[in-house]
């Protein structure tokens, strides 16, 4: 999928079918309930939310619908530098509060964009260490409040289960090859915590929100909290 010359039809099918895969394995339902909903409701005003590297747009659309169901007002932006992803995202049946734009974090910062909440899903494992550090630093600069990056927790069991479980959904897509490659490229919790601490000590906390999942979280006050706790993470 990272190949700009990959088969466009299989790529579109993959991006569309990520909706099903992410509902099954990404854990955003629980993250919304435990972290996003309380944060947005606590603002006491309409929020601005960014999905950075939104791909086909399924995660930001799902989060927007859950917030609307709960009566939480927010405007949602899905941003991705890949025109192919934005084409699929823009074709989604999305609430009117969601818009998509072809842009990366650098362009959004240059445009002066700021958001109450910044999220990403399955972006971190696509990046080498230098790019990951830059991406997470930009995400904190774009956010006035909470940042949440969801990704895969690498393990042999995750690899084995995905290899079997994806079989019914893989036909005509890159889901099997891309997914297995993604698991190999992903991080353990300790690895990701070390990388983020190198970018900005005591401002990130890596948690396990669901089986085989990682969640890197940053918000104002984490540095103070870490000093008070002696640098521990949850």
């Amino acid at each position: 999928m990272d190949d700009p010359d990959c088969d466009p039809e299989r790529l579109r099918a993959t991006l569309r079918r990520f909706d099903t895969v992410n509902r099954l394995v990404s854990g955003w339902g629980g993250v919304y309930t435990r972290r996003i909903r309380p944060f947005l409701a606590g603002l006491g005003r309409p929020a601005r939310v960014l999905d950075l590297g939104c791909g086909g747009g399924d995660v930001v659309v799902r989060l927007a619908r859950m917030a609307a169901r709960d009566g939480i007002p927010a405007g949602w932006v899905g941003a991705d530098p890949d025109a192919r992803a934005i084409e699929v995202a823009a074709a989604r049946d999305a609430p009117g509060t969601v818009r998509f734009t072809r842009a990366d974090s650098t362009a959004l910062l240059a445009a002066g964009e700021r958001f109450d909440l910044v999220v990403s899903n399955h972006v971190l494992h696509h990046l080498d260490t230098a790019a990951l550090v830059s991406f997470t630093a930009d995400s904190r600069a774009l956010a006035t409040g909470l940042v949440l990056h969801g990704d895969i927790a690498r393990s042999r069991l995750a690899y084995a289960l995905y290899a079997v479980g994806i079989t019914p959904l893989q036909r005509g897509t890159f889901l099997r090859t891309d997914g297995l490659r993604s698991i190999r490229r992903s991080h353990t919790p300790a690895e990701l915590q070390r990388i983020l601490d190198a970018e900005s000590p005591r401002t990130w906390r890596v948690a396990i929100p669901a089986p085989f999942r990682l969640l890197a979280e940053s918000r104002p006050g984490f540095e103070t909290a870490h000093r008070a706790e002696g640098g521990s993470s949850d």
Side-chain angles (χ1 to χ4, degrees):
M1 284 178 60
D2 292 330
D3 180 359
D5 297 320
C6 70
D7 181 84
E9 287 301 322
R10 291 185 70 190
L11 176 62
R12 282 190 286 269
T14 302
L15 290 168
R16 288 192 293 264
R17 212 162 295 173
F18 270 142
D19 195 341
T20 301
V21 175
N22 282 327
R23 284 178 181 273
L24 291 172
V25 305
S26 68
W28 281 103
V31 172
Y32 171 80
T33 299
R34 292 189 294 271
R35 286 172 168 85
I36 295 176
R37 181 171 63 190
F39 172 75
L40 296 181
L43 292 175
R45 57 171 173 76
R48 295 195 77 213
V49 184
L50 171 68
D51 182 355
L52 190 56
C54 68
D58 61 287
V59 170
V60 69
V61 168
R62 183 183 177 198
L63 294 175
R65 285 178 173 153
M66 287 190 287
R69 177 198 64 200
D70 291 334
I72 298 174
W76 303 77
V77 176
D80 200 292
D82 191 329
R84 303 169 301 175
I86 292 299
E87 178 187 1
V88 172
R92 285 193 176 276
D93 179 16
T97 55
V98 179
R99 70 178 179 90
F100 294 101
T101 183
R102 184 184 177 188
D104 60 12
S105 58
T106 301
L108 293 169
L109 284 169
E113 295 277 17
R114 295 296 183 272
F115 300 86
D116 298 291
L117 168 65
V118 174
V119 304
S120 79
N121 182 63
H122 291 175
V123 173
L124 300 186
H125 69 258
H126 288 280
L127 309 174
D128 62 26
T129 298
L132 191 155
V133 166
S134 177
F135 178 81
T136 54
D138 283 355
S139 71
R140 289 194 303 111
L142 285 163
T144 59
L146 182 62
V147 183
L148 298 169
H149 295 302
D151 211 342
I152 304 160
R154 189 182 75 248
S155 74
R156 291 181 179 178
L157 182 57
Y159 190 94
L161 290 175
Y162 184 85
V164 174
I166 200 61
T167 301
L169 298 172
Q170 69 175 340
R171 185 175 181 182
T173 74
F174 296 115
L175 285 174
R176 181 182 177 83
T177 54
D178 179 73
L180 294 176
R181 184 183 300 119
S182 293
I183 294 170
R184 291 195 300 268
R185 289 177 173 177
S186 61
H187 305 87
T188 67
E191 288 169 350
L192 184 57
Q193 187 71 64
R194 282 195 297 270
I195 294 170
L196 295 174
D197 283 346
E199 182 266 310
S200 184
R202 300 181 299 277
T203 57
W204 290 96
R205 188 175 292 173
V206 177
I208 303 173
F212 313 117
R213 297 294 300 171
L214 297 177
L215 186 72
E217 177 179 1
S218 182
R219 67 173 77 201
F222 259 21
E223 185 172 355
T224 301
H226 272 269
R227 282 199 297 265
E229 298 167 3
S232 64
S233 61
D234 64 2

